[in-house]
Amino acid sequence: MDSKLLREYIRNYKTPFEEEMAMIPDFLELLADPMAFSRDRKEGHFTASAWIVNRRRTHTLLTLHRKLEKWLQLGGHADDNQNLLEVAMNEAREESGLTSLRLVDRFIFDLDVHLIPANAVDAQHFHYDVRFLIEAEMDEPLLISPESKDLAWVGFDMTAELVGYNASILRMLEKTSRSEILL
């Protein structure tokens, strides 16, 4: 997926969630910036995430992010790679050790813009996160990466309790629970 295809996917992206629809112009505007996929764009840049679920759609794989101290989906920086689907798959493999990862759909599953707080290295900035739906086997061993404190398959019924009020994760959870997401 190059930036031209990404633009088409974002432009044609449909969601019933108004807050997500409102983000689309910001994603399209960012795509016009030649630095959009680089961490060197200090105001904000593209990231890609994997919303990993089991085949039966009862659990999601979450990581306790080392720096942010929050349970989140797996993902990371594009680091100049315009193929955000490739970024999401690579991050999923690197952050979980899973080999059973299977892309459910090549189209975007979710979009989110979120603020990353300042730390010792970086100023406060935005992540423009493009997310993809991925399946994996729950019986495969997990490998915790240096970016994580923990990694766990979390039942859908316990996800909200674990993540607190994280609207984007709750939105992905709701999307996954809907009947139009085929098994």
Side-chain angles (χ1 to χ4, degrees), residues 96-116:
S96 71
L98 293 174
T99 59
S100 64
L101 297 168
R102 186 186 74 79
L103 181 65
V104 174
D105 191 336
R106 64 184 173 93
F107 295 105
I108 296 167
F109 178 67
D110 193 77
L111 294 172
D112 193 61
V113 179
H114 48 271
L115 186 64
I116 302 299

Side-chain angles (χ1 to χ4, degrees), residues 30-63:
L30 180 59
L31 267 171
D33 188 324
M35 297 288 292
F37 297 89
S38 173
R39 291 185 208 213
D40 291 337
R41 187 178 186 280
K42 299 300 183 191
E43 307 82 22
H45 39 262
F46 279 112
T47 57
S49 290
W51 179 245
I52 302 173
V53 297
N54 65 328
R55 180 158 172 73
R56 292 183 55 227
R57 303 296 193 272
T58 58
H59 290 75
T60 184
L61 183 63
L62 297 177
T63 181

Side-chain angles (χ1 to χ4, degrees), residues 2 18 26 29 31 35 59 86-87 99 139 162 177 180:
D2 60 15
E18 289 179 26
D26 296 333
E29 184 179 330
L31 267 171
M35 297 288 292
H59 290 75
E86 183 178 276
V87 172
T99 59
D139 60 354
L162 186 66
S177 299
E180 68 259 22

Side-chain angles (χ1 to χ4, degrees), residues 9 13 36 39 58 61 65 71 87 89-90 103 118-119 138-140 147-148 155 164 166-167 175 181:
Y9 282 2
Y13 184 69
R39 291 185 208 213
T58 58
L61 183 63
H65 195 278
W71 285 95
V87 172
M89 290 297 286
N90 288 340
L103 181 65
N119 59 44
M138 288 180 59
D139 60 354
E140 190 177 346
E147 296 176 21
S148 300
N166 182 323
K175 286 179 183 183
I181 303 296

Side-chain angles (χ1 to χ4, degrees), residues 3-180:
S3 62
K4 184 178 178 183
L5 186 56
L6 179 61
R7 179 179 306 287
E8 179 183 328
Y9 282 2
I10 293 171
R11 186 178 289 129
N12 294 320
Y13 184 69
K14 302 289 183 244
T15 178
F17 298 92
E18 289 179 26
E19 70 276 10
E20 194 180 10
M21 282 299 294
M23 296 177 207
I24 291 174
D26 296 333
F27 277 80
L28 292 171
E29 184 179 330
L30 180 59
L31 267 171
D33 188 324
M35 297 288 292
F37 297 89
S38 173
R39 291 185 208 213
D40 291 337
R41 187 178 186 280
K42 299 300 183 191
E43 307 82 22
H45 39 262
F46 279 112
T47 57
S49 290
W51 179 245
I52 302 173
V53 297
N54 65 328
R55 180 158 172 73
R56 292 183 55 227
R57 303 296 193 272
T58 58
H59 290 75
T60 184
L61 183 63
L62 297 177
T63 181
L64 180 55
H65 195 278
R66 184 168 299 281
K67 289 181 182 175
L68 297 176
E69 295 280 336
K70 294 179 182 179
W71 285 95
L72 303 169
Q73 75 283 351
L74 285 66
H77 289 94
D79 290 329
D80 297 315
N81 185 348
Q82 294 184 13
N83 186 336
L84 295 182
L85 174 55
E86 183 178 276
V87 172
M89 290 297 286
N90 288 340
E91 292 289 333
R93 270 190 294 279
E94 291 170 9
E95 293 182 2
S96 71
L98 293 174
T99 59
S100 64
L101 297 168
R102 186 186 74 79
L103 181 65
V104 174
D105 191 336
R106 64 184 173 93
F107 295 105
I108 296 167
F109 178 67
D110 193 77
L111 294 172
D112 193 61
V113 179
H114 48 271
L115 186 64
I116 302 299
N119 59 44
V121 177
D122 297 309
Q124 174 177 286
H125 62 282
F126 288 95
H127 280 179
Y128 293 77
D129 201 31
V130 179
R131 295 151 173 195
F132 298 91
L133 181 61
I134 297 170
E135 283 181 354
E137 299 298 324
M138 288 180 59
D139 60 354
E140 190 177 346
L142 298 173
L143 178 66
I144 298 173
S145 78
E147 296 176 21
S148 300
K149 286 186 166 186
D150 201 0
L151 196 59
W153 283 102
V154 180
F156 284 0
D157 58 339
M158 298 300 296
T159 302
E161 184 178 323
L162 186 66
V163 302
Y165 184 72
N166 182 323
S168 73
I169 289 181
L170 297 178
R171 184 177 63 235
M172 289 188 292
L173 183 62
E174 184 177 336
K175 286 179 183 183
T176 310
S177 299
R178 290 179 179 214
S179 61
E180 68 259 22

